[in-house]
Amino acid sequence: MSERNELIKKEESMPARRDIPAIAPLVDIYENDHEILMHADMPGVAKEDISINIDNGKLSILGTRKTQTSGAETWVEFGDVEYVRTFSVPQSIDVAKVNAELNDGVLHLHLPKSEAAKPRQIEIKAA
């Protein structure tokens, strides 16, 4: 069997792929002396369906909302969606201490600053 025929056979045996629309989740970002806090609105996404990666100063958030349906589609306005967002993050973030929580469809991402990046008070010594 030729290589071309094998490709066609594999393609025919694959299930039809339905394209999922990708949208950017709305995000609020706050910064204090100790951390950068991000709130990303990702309604309907389970924590198992969220991926957060930090690599080379880039923070990527990816989450997929999968809706469970039964019966024939009559009208569909609310379906599966993929939330995708990428940010540049400062090198002063302590990547080992980054943590995330998901509450009521909002992803809370804590990006702690390294000790060297935190502001500090300099004491003046008498001469």
Side-chain angles (χ1 to χ4, degrees):
M1 184 181 262
S2 75
E3 224 176 283
R4 184 177 181 284
N5 289 341
E6 285 180 36
L7 266 175
I8 291 171
K9 189 173 183 178
K10 284 181 185 176
E11 188 177 72
E12 288 172 354
S13 66
M14 300 278 294
R17 183 168 177 252
R18 190 174 114 196
D19 288 332
I20 298 174
I23 61 170
L26 298 177
V27 174
D28 291 339
I29 301 174
Y30 302 93
E31 183 174 1
N32 60 38
D33 292 343
H34 306 288
E35 71 178 353
I36 296 173
L37 177 61
M38 298 178 73
H39 300 288
D41 192 27
M42 301 176 80
V45 179
K47 72 177 190 172
E48 302 82 33
D49 296 325
I50 297 176
S51 171
I52 303 165
N53 295 305
I54 300 177
D55 188 28
N56 264 349
K58 297 285 184 195
L59 167 70
S60 301
I61 301 171
L62 173 72
T64 305
R65 178 182 68 207
K66 300 173 187 167
T67 55
Q68 300 296 322
T69 59
S70 61
E73 292 181 353
T74 322
W75 189 280
V76 179
E77 292 183 341
F78 182 87
D80 296 348
V81 69
E82 189 171 70
Y83 294 101
V84 181
R85 195 83 187 256
T86 302
F87 297 92
S88 293
V89 292
Q91 296 297 324
S92 59
I93 295 299
D94 189 347
V95 177
K97 294 181 181 176
V98 170
N99 66 57
E101 312 152 355
L102 183 67
N103 295 323
D104 297 327
V106 178
L107 176 69
H108 304 277
L109 189 58
H110 299 268
L111 304 162
K113 295 179 181 178
S114 64
E115 289 300 317
K118 292 180 182 176
R120 61 187 180 111
Q121 183 70 32
I122 307 298
E123 182 182 334
I124 301 172
K125 299 179 183 175

